[in-house]
Amino acid sequence: MTGHDVVVVGAGAGGAACAWGLASAGLSVLLLDAGPEFSPTDYPSHRPDWERIESPDKPGSRGIHAFAPMQKLSPAHDHLRSWNHISGLMVEGDARRGVAYQHVRGIGGSTLHFDAESHRLLPAAMTMRSQFGVGADWPFPYAELEPYYITAETLSGVAGAADPARPRSAPYPLEPHAPGYASRLLTERTRHLGRTWRPNPLAILSRAYDGRPGCNYCAQCNRGCPRRDKGSVDVTYVPKAIATGRCRVLSGAEVTGLSAGPDNRIRALTYRDSAGQTHEVKTRCVVVAAGAIETPRLLLLSAGPHAAGGVANEQGLVGRNLLETLHWTTCALHPESLGTHRGLPSDIICWDFNAPDAIPGVVGGCRFAPVTASMLLTGPVSYATRVVEGWGRSHREKMQASFGNAIAIGAIGESLPDPGTYVDLAPDLTDPHGLPAARIHSHLDDMAIGRIEFMAAECRRMVAAMGAGAPFEEFGAYDMFSSTHVFGTARMGTDPATSVVNAHGRAHHCKNLFISDASVFPSSGGGEAPSLTIQALALRTARAIRDAAARREI
Amino acid sequence: MALWPWGSGGLPGRVDLLDTQNDPLTAAPVTGRRRFLGLLAGGAAVLGGAGLFWRLLLPSPLDAKELTLLRRAVDHLVPRGHAPGALDLGIDRGVAEALNATRQFRRLARLGLAWLDDAAGERSDWEHAFLSCLAQPTDVPPRIFFQWLRNETFGRYYADPRSWAGLSITHPPQPMGYPDYRSAPGAMAARS
């Protein structure tokens, strides 16, 4: 197959945005994704048994990966274990466990299950090395990214309110959603703690926009949005890219290798279609956007005569510097009727501790939000199995008294590089094609545990301030790896000795290879959701590819 | 922040042995699997001697006696009250189907039901049986079975809207959504 200026691998936030940027700039694009296409009718939230149906989920929509053994847990940190009052510890034994890399393969990628949080990074979080002596700096300042943020917000339909900590050159395209009933109580009842809350910027339409309807607040965003008011990239960038007439989209196309030539350029890539047929695509330019676990895997799988340790891996950095989701959530039952099964997953957000130096004694910030819907506490099945103890008539009575009253406060914090946290190829696990799966290594240092400790204490304080009873469930990263936001495994920077790609996402030593996902993030931010930044970076990378094409460099 | 890895019908615990996405035996890491098999054998020896042990190795579908025990357990979990009970909604048949689907689950069910029957005693005291089971360590087969049975029974029951009587939910989330999300629950209905 030939005839495309650029092949983009992965149709999630980065790949779809980059494909649109390229196609709208006049380049022809082939957009490949290993997973299937989803349609609004695939999502179950109109069914009475919606809670029992995994969604978004179709054959081929989950990759496989292995976890390396993880560190021992200390009795001194038993208060940070994940537990439920009915079933006990979620991870038994004395070692941390790899439980999940939460992702979706398919056209739309993990935006199909995201809660649509559309955050800009805090500018200070982009200079962690120079200001705080940890991690790495971004190779350009916030101001450089700002115009691309505007474009991404406009295309996605972000509803939000100005935040002085994150300067912007234009208002949000949509006015913010009004906070839900429980979030208003949370705001009022944590005021005495000094907590300030603001509308969470969300790619969820607060009114009809761009041919899509406004949200009807069903609280099921992470199961896939049947109305298309959530700005997953399959309903934003992908149709717009196709509409240019210059973007072809192929689902079920799993790229299995990149072929590097002697001139440090990718000559071709191979993919397998859903029927198992192998295809080779010759190309002038490749953009890899498969996420921070699968992108390094593909680069490492592509080792060959002209790429001994893997493509773009001259310094052995591919897969290193993995940054994970450092999180904590406390769930409790409130005595008042709150109706927390309604609304938006995280309609308000607290940035009070978001700055890298905001947490006492720890470098790296965090954020807090109500996450009852994100924890899937929005239907009677979850209440019956996780919230209400016992059985029989007393269980029934408690169900009637408590449904809709669960609250969950969650936090996500900065994740900093650790030599023990990286991705490599699994020696003993292969995918259905016989290729090694990615293997995730994770180690939390004292500062990461300190950050979790702070997040847990604050979540508990807020839950108590709300007037809730004792927690019924707590869930955090101390004893398990369960990440949805992952970053850093093909870090960008100006120095080829310490980074994989340059400031435009272009591989230092492979001139027609670009990376356009969270792999390139030098730092994670203090709990910001990465999707909007991935999109902004992808649009910037598309611009760089267009310019390079104009200079006939690719 | 889609971090919750088990789904709302799944189990927030026993990551190795209680993963309902997989068979409880095959999902376990090697050490856990060996231990689990050892516990099965040990449990069988205590409860039913060699006969039960061999039936565990070559498990046929649940027999009539076991299905009766299962019905009793399901009925005790969700008895009929102001709302229909689990048996009224045929939940026991769905649970039995799920248990019979794989050899591993049949093994687990066979041992778990025998344990519960033994604990219930001649008086068929299922309340006592359930409480005794909860007093067991979380990684022994009867407790694993009970946790699975509880989740599966409640999961199937509350996925049927006939069970929602008396709860503040009247419809699935879509297509109506919850445009009243800014108000206290019931406030809009009370005003209209």
Side-chain angles (χ1 to χ4, degrees):
Chain A
M1 186 185 290
T2 56
H4 299 281
D5 295 320
V6 184
V7 181
V8 178
V9 181
C18 194
W20 174 81
L22 294 165
S24 60
L27 296 173
S28 63
V29 180
L30 175 62
L31 177 59
L32 304 173
D33 198 282
E37 285 186 51
F38 286 84
S39 91
T41 56
D42 291 328
Y43 306 129
S45 50
H46 62 287
R47 295 174 48 148
D49 60 350
W50 86 97
E51 289 184 275
R52 287 175 57 83
I53 301 171
E54 285 295 319
S55 179
D57 188 41
K58 278 183 164 183
S61 66
R62 296 279 187 277
I64 61 165
H65 45 272
F67 290 99
M70 294 184 186
Q71 71 207 75
K72 291 283 181 197
L73 301 171
S74 164
H77 295 124
D78 276 353
H79 58 295
L80 301 179
R81 299 290 293 260
S82 303
W83 61 279
N84 172 280
H85 69 149
I86 295 169
S87 55
L89 288 176
M90 296 186 197
V91 177
E92 292 202 356
D94 61 355
R96 190 169 181 249
R97 288 216 32 192
V99 171
Y101 158 46
Q102 307 275 3
H103 69 286
V104 183
R105 283 182 167 193
I107 308 302
S110 292
T111 66
L112 294 166
H113 77 166
F114 82 154
D115 285 339
E117 291 186 302
S118 295
H119 299 150
R120 295 172 167 218
L121 279 175
L122 190 73
M126 299 171 73
T127 54
M128 296 299 289
R129 168 60 59 182
S130 54
Q131 281 197 73
F132 305 101
V134 297
D137 284 358
W138 288 56
F140 51 80
Y142 173 91
E144 170 69 27
L145 205 52
E146 204 280 335
Y148 299 99
Y149 272 137
I150 292 286
T151 304
E153 289 164 346
T154 303
L155 283 162
S156 302
V158 177
D163 173 0
R166 294 166 168 80
R168 50 186 308 115
S169 58
Y172 278 105
L174 289 103
E175 57 277 12
H177 296 268
Y181 178 69
S183 293
R184 289 211 314 275
L185 289 187
L186 177 63
T187 302
E188 288 166 16
R189 294 179 184 181
T190 57
R191 195 167 285 136
H192 72 281
L193 301 178
R195 298 291 75 83
T196 53
W197 300 85
R198 58 178 55 248
N200 199 359
L202 300 170
I204 297 172
L205 303 181
S206 53
R207 58 176 161 77
Y209 177 82
D210 197 25
R212 296 185 282 132
C215 177
N216 71 356
Y217 305 99
C218 79
Q220 306 299 318
C221 301
N222 51 26
R223 288 188 161 99
C225 179
R227 294 165 56 86
R228 300 166 62 248
D229 57 88
K230 186 181 85 165
S232 50
V233 297
D234 60 320
V235 302
T236 56
Y237 295 95
V238 173
K240 290 180 191 301
I242 292 170
T244 64
R246 289 183 290 275
C247 181
R248 182 180 173 208
V249 180
L250 274 185
S251 58
E254 180 154 10
V255 175
T256 53
L258 311 174
S259 299
D263 55 351
N264 286 328
R265 301 176 82 86
I266 303 299
R267 297 299 178 85
L269 58 80
T270 52
Y271 74 86
R272 290 193 188 165
D273 63 25
S274 46
Q277 296 293 310
T278 299
H279 304 262
E280 182 177 78
V281 184
K282 296 194 185 308
T283 181
R284 293 163 54 196
C285 179
V286 178
V287 176
V288 178
I293 304 299
E294 289 295 319
T295 284
R297 175 184 176 231
L298 177 59
L299 299 180
L300 295 172
L301 284 175
S302 302
H306 304 292
V311 165
N313 197 28
E314 297 79 10
Q315 302 295 329
L317 291 173
V318 169
R320 294 280 154 183
N321 300 308
L322 171 65
L323 310 173
E324 62 182 271
T325 315
L326 215 61
H327 62 95
W328 181 267
T329 298
T330 295
C331 308
L333 206 51
H334 202 279
E336 299 169 51
S337 183
L338 301 177
T340 52
H341 58 293
R342 313 167 299 166
L344 295 163
S346 298
D347 53 358
I348 57 173
I349 191 159
C350 171
W351 295 117
D352 291 347
F353 299 95
N354 179 230
D357 56 355
I359 301 177
V362 171
V363 176
C366 67
R367 61 74 177 260
F368 299 89
V371 294
T372 314
S374 304
M375 293 294 283
L376 304 182
L377 292 165
T378 56
V381 171
S382 62
Y383 273 74
T385 54
R386 291 165 55 191
V387 181
V388 177
E389 289 178 290
W391 50 80
R393 291 198 173 83
S394 67
H395 183 272
R396 176 78 195 180
E397 285 162 12
K398 283 185 246 174
M399 281 290 291
Q400 291 175 339
S402 62
F403 182 75
N405 301 357
I407 58 166
I409 307 294
I412 300 179
E414 177 102 35
S415 175
L416 290 166
D418 185 291
T421 302
Y422 59 96
V423 173
D424 64 5
L425 297 179
D428 51 5
L429 181 68
T430 56
D431 70 8
H433 307 304
L435 297 171
R439 179 172 61 173
I440 297 169
H441 302 251
S442 173
H443 178 264
L444 300 180
D445 65 12
D446 289 345
M447 195 141 69
I449 294 170
R451 214 173 289 113
I452 295 171
E453 184 132 34
F454 177 82
M455 294 191 297
E458 281 298 313
C459 286
R460 289 166 180 158
R461 282 181 81 200
M462 288 190 223
V463 163
M466 272 283 278
F472 63 79
E473 183 175 280
E474 293 187 302
F475 167 60
Y478 169 68
D479 56 3
M480 70 172 84
F481 180 105
S482 176
S483 285
T484 180
H485 304 160
V486 286
F487 322 78
T489 49
R491 180 192 276 176
M492 79 177 143
T494 53
D495 182 357
T498 58
S499 56
V500 176
V501 298
N502 71 12
H504 294 287
R506 190 178 198 169
H508 287 302
H509 298 292
C510 192
K511 298 303 179 190
N512 66 342
L513 171 65
F514 292 78
I515 296 176
S516 182
D517 57 34
S519 306
V520 304
F521 281 36
S523 62
S524 71
E528 292 90 339
S531 177
L532 189 76
T533 301
I534 294 170
Q535 294 167 41
L537 280 173
L539 298 173
R540 187 169 176 275
T541 293
R543 179 80 171 250
I545 294 171
R546 185 201 70 177
D547 293 347
R551 293 193 301 269
R552 299 189 176 280
E553 291 176 12
I554 59 172
Chain B
M1 184 171 139
L3 289 162
W4 183 248
W6 290 288
S8 52
L11 295 162
R14 302 299 305 123
V15 171
D16 52 356
L17 295 176
L18 274 182
D19 182 351
T20 53
Q21 303 306 308
N22 300 289
D23 289 333
L25 296 179
T26 55
V30 172
T31 51
R33 193 157 58 238
R34 283 185 187 141
R35 173 146 192 256
F36 189 55
L37 285 168
L39 287 165
L40 275 180
V46 170
L47 282 167
L52 180 55
F53 179 70
W54 288 114
R55 290 185 67 215
L56 287 170
L57 287 181
L58 296 168
S60 52
L62 299 183
D63 62 23
K65 184 188 172 197
E66 288 162 337
L67 289 173
T68 301
L69 292 175
L70 184 64
R71 277 175 61 83
R72 286 179 187 157
V74 167
D75 186 42
H76 196 76
L77 282 166
V78 190
R80 184 185 296 169
H82 296 303
L87 298 185
D88 298 320
L89 303 188
I91 302 303
D92 55 316
R93 292 193 295 274
V95 172
E97 222 169 88
L99 282 172
N100 270 326
T102 71
R103 169 180 293 200
Q104 288 84 353
F105 270 93
R106 289 198 294 269
R107 275 186 194 144
L108 182 64
R110 184 148 286 134
L111 193 63
L113 287 167
W115 195 98
L116 288 170
D117 186 34
D118 188 58
E122 288 180 4
R123 291 184 299 140
S124 281
D125 188 346
W126 287 87
E127 188 71 13
H128 175 72
F130 286 1
L131 289 170
S132 303
C133 196
L134 283 185
Q136 301 298 307
T138 55
D139 62 350
V140 300
R143 177 78 186 269
I144 293 169
F145 172 72
F146 177 71
Q147 184 71 44
W148 182 90
L149 180 66
R150 183 183 186 278
N151 277 275
E152 193 67 12
T153 301
F154 284 142
R156 287 173 181 270
Y157 178 76
Y158 282 105
D160 187 322
R162 289 174 288 179
S163 72
W164 297 351
L167 304 185
S168 56
I169 180 173
T170 55
H171 56 80
Q174 289 290 359
M176 294 167 66
Y178 299 110
D180 66 340
Y181 78 105
R182 285 175 288 176
S183 310
M188 282 181 76
R191 279 201 297 272
S192 61

